[in-house]
C-alpha cells in the first residue's frame, strides 16, 4: 500500500471497538489502490492485524468485490437480477462480450475493461442497470453502452 | 388509490440530501423532540404503541425487538442493516442515496431510545456512492450537534460509524451481517443467543432495516398512536413497495398497509402491463416468497392478507412477470442467484441449490429428463426447514409455488408427459 493508504489503514485499526472490524475496510483500501488484492498485500494486511495469511484469504475469498486477479480500469458490473433479466439485462452482457471480444466475466487485454455479470444490484425499478466502478447507470441501452465504450477508449472520463 | 408518503414525502424536494433543506422541511424535529422532551423510555414507548413491524422482510415488531435488550450495564449497539440485496427490492437504496438525513435521524433517534452510544450503518459493498453520501450527511449532522459527545446539549453521546460490505447477499441476514462487521466471512450464527443478548462483539445489539429506522422519524413526530391508526390493526403504518419488471411505470411506491390491493398497486400506480401484454404472475415480497397469479390481485397489501393468500409481504420487492415469460427461465435465473449466494455452511442449501440449478438448466436447455421434476420436488422438501438460516427456505419458496401453479410448463420440459410421481412425494 502507498503511504497515504498505510496511514488510513492504521487509523482504521483504532476506529472500531474491536480491531478485527478493520479487516474488510483495509481490504477495500488495497482493492481501490491496486484494482485487486495482490499476494504481497495479503501478507502485510495479515501482519497489520496480527492474523494469519490464511485467515485474510478466508475472509477475502468470501466477498465478490475483492479480486485476486487484476481488474481493468473500468469494472463494469452488469446486473443479472430477475428484474433486470426481464428487461434485457442479458442482452447488455452479450453486447459487451461481443464488443470487447471477451468470454464471460473477463478483462480485456489492454487492461481497460473488466466485465462481470453480478447478482441483484438493488436498483430494480431502473432496470436494466449496470455499475461502472461501483457507480450506478440506470435504464441502460445498447446505445448507452456503445457510447460509454467509445468515451472510455478515447480517454474521456466516463461522466463527461 | 393514492400513495401515502411519510418517508418519501420530501423525496423530490431539490437539495433534500443536504442538511439545510432537510432541516427547513422539518428534519431533525423528531430527534430534538426525543432528546429534549421525551427521553429514551418514552421514545421506546412511542415505537411500541406504533405497532411498527420490521421492514426488512421478517416483519417482527420493532418495539418488542428493542425491549429484549437486557439492562445489565454492558455497552449496547444499534446496527442499521443497509445490505439491501433481495432481488426486486430497491427501497433502501432510494432512502440511502436520496434521503440520507432521514436515515441518519432515524438511526440517531433509535440509538438514543435503546441507550446505545454507538450505532453502525452496514451498507452493501455496491453502495459505495451511498457511503460517501452518508459520510457527508454525518459530517453535517455533527456540525449541527445532532451527533457527537454532547447531542443537542443533552450530555448524551451518540456516534454513527459507516461500514461497507464487499458483496454477499447472505450478509443481509442479521447474524451474518454481524460476523461481517466483525471482519469475518459472512456465515450466519446459531440462534439463540439472539443479537439482543449477544450480538456485535458479544454485546447486546439491535439490528434493524433502513426503512424500519427511517419510519421511527415520522412515528416520533406524529406520535405512535397516530401512526398505529394508519394501515390495519396487524399491519400498521406505511410501507414502500418497489415495483419492477413488466409494468409501464416501475418505481418505489409508499402506501398505507392494507388500504391498497396488489392489483391497484400494479395497475393504478405502476401503470399496468406493457402494451399488448397481460400479467402472468407476481412475486410480491422479494424473490424469496411464493408467486401470486392475477386471480389473487384483489389481495390487500398487508402482512396478514398476503399470508392468507399463500405468500408473504417480505421486503416489499414486487417483481412482475407478463405473459411473455417462461416460468422455467425465471425459475432458473432465481436458482442461479441462490446457488451463488448460498454461504455453503449447510449441506441441504449448498448442494441442493446446485442440484436444483442443474435440473432447471436441463429443463431450460430442452434436455429435461423424466425424473427431473421428481428431483426438483424432492430437493425442495429436503431443503425446506433444514438449514441454519432462512436462505434455504428462501431459495425454494418461489420455485415450489411455480411448480404448483405452472405445472404444465414444467411438464412440457420433460419427455413423456406429466410425471405423476411428483404428486406422490408432495406433501
Amino acid at each position: 500500500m502507498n503511504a497515504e493508504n498505510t496511514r488510513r489503514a492504521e487509523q482504521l485499526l483504532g476506529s472500531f471497538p474491536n480491531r478485527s472490524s478493520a479487516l474488510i475496510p483495509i481490504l477495500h483500501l488495497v482493492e481501490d489502490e491496486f484494482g485487486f488484492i495482490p499476494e504481497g498485500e495479503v501478507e502485510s494486511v495479515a501482519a497489520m492485524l496480527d492474523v494469519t495469511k490464511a485467515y485474510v484469504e478466508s475472509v477475502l475469498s468470501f466477498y465478490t468485490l475483492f479480486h485476486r486477479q487484476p481488474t481493468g480500469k473500468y469494472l463494469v458490473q452488469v446486473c443479472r437480477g430477475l428484474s433486470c433479466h426481464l428487461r434485457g439485462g442479458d442482452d447488455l452482457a452479450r453486447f459487451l462480450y461481443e464488443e470487447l471480444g471477451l468470454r464471460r466475466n473477463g478483462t480485456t487485454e489492454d487492461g481497460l475493461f473488466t466485465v462481470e455479470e453480478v447478482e441483484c444490484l438493488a436498483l430494480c425499478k431502473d432496470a436494466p442497470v449496470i455499475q461502472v466502478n461501483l457507480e450506478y447507470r440506470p435504464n441502460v441501452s445498447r446505445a448507452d453502452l456503445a457510447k460509454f465504450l467509445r468515451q472510455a477508449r478515447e480517454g474521456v472520463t466516463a461522466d463527461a | 388509490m393514492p400513495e401515502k408518503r411519510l418517508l418519501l414525502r420530501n423525496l423530490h424536494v431539490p437539495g433534500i440530501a443536504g442538511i439545510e433543506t432537510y432541516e427547513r422541511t422539518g428534519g431533525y424535529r423528531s430527534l430534538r423532540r426525543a432528546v429534549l422532551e421525551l427521553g429514551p423510555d418514552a421514545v421506546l414507548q412511542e415505537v411500541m404503541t406504533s405497532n411498527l413491524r420490521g421492514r426488512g422482510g421478517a416483519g417482527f415488531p420493532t418495539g418488542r425487538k428493542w425491549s429484549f435488550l437486557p439492562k445489565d450495564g454492558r455497552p449496547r449497539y444499534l446496527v442499521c442493516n443497509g445490505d439491501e440485496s433481495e432481488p426486486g427490492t430497491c427501497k433502501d437504496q432510494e432512502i440511502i442515496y436520496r434521503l440520507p438525513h432521514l436515515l441518519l435521524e432515524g438511526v440517531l433517534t433509535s440509538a438514543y431510545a435503546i441507550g446505545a452510544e454507538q450505532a453502525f450503518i452496514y451498507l452493501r459493498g455496491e453502495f459505495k456512492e451511498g457511503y460517501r453520501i452518508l459520510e457527508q450527511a454525518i459530517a453535517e449532522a455533527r456540525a449541527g450537534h445532532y451527533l457527537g459527545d454532547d447531542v443537542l446539549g443533552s450530555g448524551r453521546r451518540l456516534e454513527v460509524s459507516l461500514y461497507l460490505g464487499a458483496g454477499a447477499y447472505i450478509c443481509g441476514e442479521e447474524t451474518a451481517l454481524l460476523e461481517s462487521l466483525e471482519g469475518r466471512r459472512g456465515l450466519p450464527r446459531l440462534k439463540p443467543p439472539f443479537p439482543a443478548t449477544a450480538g456485535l462483539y458479544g454485546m447486546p445489539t439491535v439490528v434493524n432495516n433502513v426503512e424500519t429506522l427511517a419510519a421511527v422519524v415520522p412515528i416520533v413526530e406524529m406520535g405512535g398512536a397516530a401512526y398505529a391508526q394508519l394501515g390495519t390493526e396487524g399491519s400498521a403504518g406505511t410501507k414502500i413497495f418497489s415495483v419492477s419488471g413488466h409494468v409501464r411505470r416501475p418505481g418505489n411506491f409508499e402506501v398505507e398497509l392494507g388500504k391498497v390491493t396488489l392489483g391497484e398497486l400494479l395497475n393504478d400506480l405502476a401503470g399496468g402491463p406493457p402494451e399488448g401484454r397481460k400479467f402472468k404472475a407476481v412475486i410480491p415480497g422479494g424473490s424469496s416468497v411464493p408467486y401470486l397469479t392475477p386471480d389473487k390481485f384483489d389481495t390487500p397489501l398487508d402482512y396478514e392478507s398476503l399470508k392468507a393468500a399463500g405468500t408473504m409481504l417480505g421486503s416489499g420487492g414486487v417483481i412482475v412477470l407478463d405473459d411473455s415469460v417462461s416460468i422455467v427461465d425465471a425459475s432458473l435465473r432465481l436458482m442461479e442467484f441462490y446457488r451463488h449466494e448460498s454461504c455453503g455452511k449447510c449441506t441441504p442449501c449448498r448442494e441442493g441449490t446446485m442440484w436444483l440449478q442443474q435440473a432447471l438448466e436441463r429443463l431450460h436447455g430442452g434436455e429435461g429428463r423424466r425424473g427431473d421434476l421428481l428431483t426438483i420436488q424432492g430437493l425442495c422438501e429436503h431443503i425446506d426447514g433444514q438449514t441454519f438460516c432462512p436462505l434455504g427456505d428462501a431459495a425454494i419458496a418461489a420455485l415450489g409455488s411455480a411448480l404448483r401453479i405452472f405445472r404444465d410448463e414444467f411438464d412440457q420440459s420433460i419427455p413423456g408427459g406429466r410425471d405423476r410421481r411428483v404428486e406422490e412425494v408432495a406433501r
Side-chain angles (χ1 to χ4, degrees):
Chain A
M1 271 187 282
N2 60 34
E4 165 66 6
N5 278 339
T6 305
R7 190 188 60 77
R8 288 170 69 184
E10 274 157 11
Q11 206 173 21
L12 281 167
L13 285 170
S15 66
F16 296 99
N18 190 327
R19 282 164 70 90
S20 69
S21 288
L23 176 55
I24 290 171
I26 290 174
L27 288 171
H28 276 303
L29 290 178
V30 177
E31 175 85 26
D32 286 351
E33 182 178 333
F34 297 91
F36 72 117
I37 314 275
E39 191 68 21
E41 296 299 322
V42 176
E43 221 165 317
S44 46
V45 170
M48 218 177 258
L49 279 141
D50 201 20
V51 294
T52 63
K53 209 178 137 195
Y55 180 77
V56 174
E57 291 273 4
S58 80
V59 173
L60 76 89
S61 64
F62 188 80
Y63 298 96
T64 54
L65 288 175
F66 296 138
H67 297 84
R68 289 315 307 276
Q69 301 297 325
T71 54
K73 183 177 174 195
Y74 297 99
L75 174 63
V76 185
Q77 299 193 296
V78 183
C79 182
R80 59 199 303 258
L82 180 56
S83 308
C84 285
H85 180 72
L86 294 171
R87 295 179 81 97
D90 296 10
D91 185 57
L92 297 181
R94 208 159 37 236
F95 177 75
L96 285 170
Y97 293 142
E98 280 167 16
E99 284 292 308
L100 298 171
L102 287 176
R103 286 169 189 272
R104 201 164 171 192
N105 298 342
T107 300
T108 53
E109 276 176 24
D110 59 7
L112 205 50
F113 302 102
T114 295
V115 179
E116 289 178 348
E117 284 177 75
V118 297
E119 293 300 347
C120 185
L121 287 173
L123 197 59
C124 316
K125 69 185 173 63
D126 297 328
V129 164
I130 66 167
Q131 280 196 334
V132 178
N133 295 341
L134 301 180
E135 293 187 2
Y136 282 107
R137 286 163 191 242
N139 296 309
V140 175
S141 66
R142 275 183 172 231
D144 296 331
L145 287 181
K147 187 175 165 200
F148 158 67
L149 292 179
R150 198 170 58 242
Q151 288 181 336
R153 280 171 172 146
E154 287 167 1
V156 181
T157 56
D159 324 351
Chain B
M1 253 305 150
E3 286 188 72
K4 173 78 183 173
R5 292 186 161 206
L6 295 182
L7 307 189
L8 302 183
R9 69 187 156 186
N10 292 326
L11 185 67
H12 298 291
V13 174
I16 193 67
I19 197 164
E20 281 177 24
T21 306
Y22 183 69
E23 283 176 324
R24 202 171 55 239
T25 53
Y28 288 110
R29 263 203 311 238
S30 293
L31 181 63
R32 274 181 197 282
R33 175 150 193 259
V35 173
L36 302 177
E37 293 172 38
L38 295 173
D41 293 344
V43 178
L44 171 61
Q45 197 51 54
E46 293 294 341
V47 174
M48 283 273 205
T49 308
S50 76
N51 290 329
L52 174 66
R53 294 172 65 169
R55 302 297 194 224
F60 193 82
T62 305
R64 263 178 67 204
K65 199 174 195 179
W66 291 7
S67 72
F68 292 151
L69 289 172
K71 292 191 171 66
D72 56 8
R74 288 186 292 162
R76 38 177 67 178
Y77 297 110
L78 175 70
V79 177
C80 171
N81 184 345
D83 191 60
E84 184 170 61
S85 306
E86 175 75 12
T89 315
C90 53
K91 64 195 177 61
D92 298 341
Q93 196 271 357
E94 186 121 63
I95 295 171
I96 292 163
Y97 278 63
R98 298 183 60 186
L99 300 166
H101 281 288
L102 176 72
L103 174 59
L104 195 54
E105 184 177 6
V107 168
L108 291 165
T109 308
S110 305
Y112 174 76
I114 66 167
E117 283 192 357
Q118 175 71 54
F120 291 88
I121 302 177
Y122 182 103
L123 302 174
R124 61 177 294 178
E126 292 81 357
F127 286 173
K128 198 171 182 176
E129 293 170 276
Y131 184 97
R132 292 197 196 104
I133 291 165
L134 279 168
E135 215 169 27
Q136 172 71 23
I138 288 171
E140 290 173 351
R142 189 180 301 283
H145 304 288
Y146 297 119
L147 77 155
D149 287 334
D150 181 15
V151 172
L152 297 170
S154 66
R156 261 295 298 270
R157 181 173 179 271
L158 287 175
E159 278 299 333
V160 178
S161 297
L162 298 175
Y163 199 88
L164 196 60
Y169 168 68
I170 189 63
C171 291
E173 194 280 332
E174 63 178 12
T175 62
L177 185 153
L178 295 175
E179 285 289 294
S180 181
L181 191 42
E182 291 185 25
R184 288 193 278 272
R185 294 166 71 86
L187 303 184
R189 294 176 181 171
L190 183 64
K191 293 192 269 193
F194 289 91
T197 47
L200 187 63
Y201 313 120
M203 298 299 166
T205 302
V206 167
V207 185
N208 283 141
N209 169 260
V210 166
E211 186 187 354
T212 311
L213 292 172
V216 170
V217 176
I219 287 170
V220 171
E221 186 182 319
M222 71 202 295
Y227 185 87
Q229 289 297 309
L230 298 170
T232 66
E233 200 181 332
S235 302
T238 62
K239 170 86 188 83
I240 304 171
F241 289 89
S242 304
V243 184
S244 67
H246 291 150
V247 288
R248 287 189 219 194
R249 287 195 303 273
N252 281 324
F253 303 98
E254 184 177 0
V255 299
E256 216 178 318
L257 284 166
K259 300 294 168 69
V260 174
T261 66
L262 179 57
E264 286 166 340
L265 175 71
L266 299 181
N267 288 308
D268 301 348
L269 293 172
E275 183 75 39
R277 295 284 176 197
K278 287 194 196 101
F279 289 133
K280 173 171 181 158
V282 170
I283 316 185
S287 65
S288 304
V289 307
Y291 283 99
L292 285 183
T293 41
D295 55 305
K296 300 273 179 65
F297 280 10
D298 57 356
T299 308
L301 294 167
D302 61 69
Y303 293 97
E304 294 75 22
S305 303
L306 285 163
K307 192 175 173 198
T311 185
M312 282 169 66
L313 187 138
S315 65
V318 183
I319 309 175
V320 186
L321 282 59
D322 73 18
D323 56 357
S324 69
V325 179
S326 145
I327 202 73
V328 173
D329 181 67
S331 301
L332 172 59
R333 182 71 280 283
L334 285 181
M335 196 51 62
E336 288 170 342
F337 166 76
Y338 289 105
R339 186 202 58 78
H340 183 262
E341 300 298 341
S342 172
C343 79
K345 183 167 182 156
C346 308
T347 309
C349 175
R350 181 187 66 239
E351 303 298 316
T353 52
M354 183 184 71
W355 283 28
L356 284 168
Q357 180 182 328
Q358 289 171 349
L360 288 165
E361 275 170 353
R362 286 195 293 274
L363 299 185
H364 189 260
E367 292 167 358
R369 298 176 193 159
R370 183 71 191 145
D372 277 344
L373 294 191
L374 197 62
T375 303
I376 291 172
Q377 178 69 40
L379 283 165
C380 286
E381 305 229 336
H382 286 99
I383 293 172
D384 191 14
Q386 305 298 315
T387 56
F388 215 74
C389 87
L391 195 145
D393 294 348
I396 57 163
L399 177 61
S401 73
L403 198 57
R404 283 192 300 276
I405 301 168
F406 300 107
R407 178 64 187 282
D408 289 350
E409 275 187 61
F410 286 94
D411 284 340
Q412 284 160 19
S413 304
I414 57 164
R418 175 157 291 205
D419 186 346
R420 303 215 174 270
R421 294 172 298 175
V422 174
E423 279 70 37
E424 286 164 27
V425 301
R427 272 182 216 147

